[in-house]
Amino acid sequence: MFETSIEKAIIIAAIVLWFAHGWYLNERLKHVHEKLDRVLGAFEGLRDYLYEIDPQFDDERESRQAFENGDSMFAGMNNMELIRRKEQEGKRTLNTPLVR
């Protein structure tokens, strides 16, 4: 199949280079994923602030708490109405995704 040792050496070198290149790209991809994880972790912290700490959502949290406690027979309807009203006014709700 291969007539000379030069042909064998070239083919073996090409295969070794192909594997080395794949290994190198895999290592670079690992670094990219690490950076991406850090960036997404920062955005998750921002989302925690916006949705769990920000006082603009206090009315929704109180409404949801009333529904979960069963304080009122119409608590679920009141919660849905509050969310609908906020969406009509263009305000964010607890269920609004971070990026629209």
Side-chain angles (χ1 to χ4, degrees):
M1 183 170 180
F2 302 115
E3 311 233 347
T4 65
S5 62
I6 294 175
E7 290 175 347
K8 290 179 188 177
I10 290 173
I11 300 231
I12 290 173
I15 291 172
V16 168
L17 285 174
W18 182 52
F19 279 111
H21 188 256
W23 174 81
Y24 172 75
L25 290 178
N26 191 32
E27 291 299 313
R28 297 265 321 224
L29 189 60
K30 285 180 186 176
H31 293 297
V32 169
H33 279 283
E34 290 171 2
K35 290 178 183 177
L36 182 62
D37 288 341
R38 285 195 305 255
V39 169
L40 291 177
F43 276 119
E44 188 61 30
L46 176 64
R47 186 183 191 295
D48 288 344
Y49 169 74
L50 287 176
Y51 293 120
E52 295 176 7
I53 300 171
D54 197 355
Q56 75 176 342
F57 301 118
D58 284 345
D59 54 352
E60 278 186 73
R61 284 196 277 289
E62 290 170 4
S63 177
R64 183 177 289 170
Q65 187 68 29
F67 175 70
E68 290 172 357
N69 291 340
D71 293 343
S72 171
M73 194 163 81
F74 300 107
M77 185 177 67
N78 293 338
N79 189 25
M80 288 176 48
E81 188 62 35
L82 174 67
I83 291 171
R84 186 177 302 127
R85 183 171 29 99
K86 285 178 89 171
E87 287 174 350
Q88 286 175 350
E89 293 172 0
K91 295 182 180 177
R92 299 182 78 83
T93 65
L94 285 171
N95 296 327
T96 304
L98 188 60
V99 179
R100 289 185 183 189

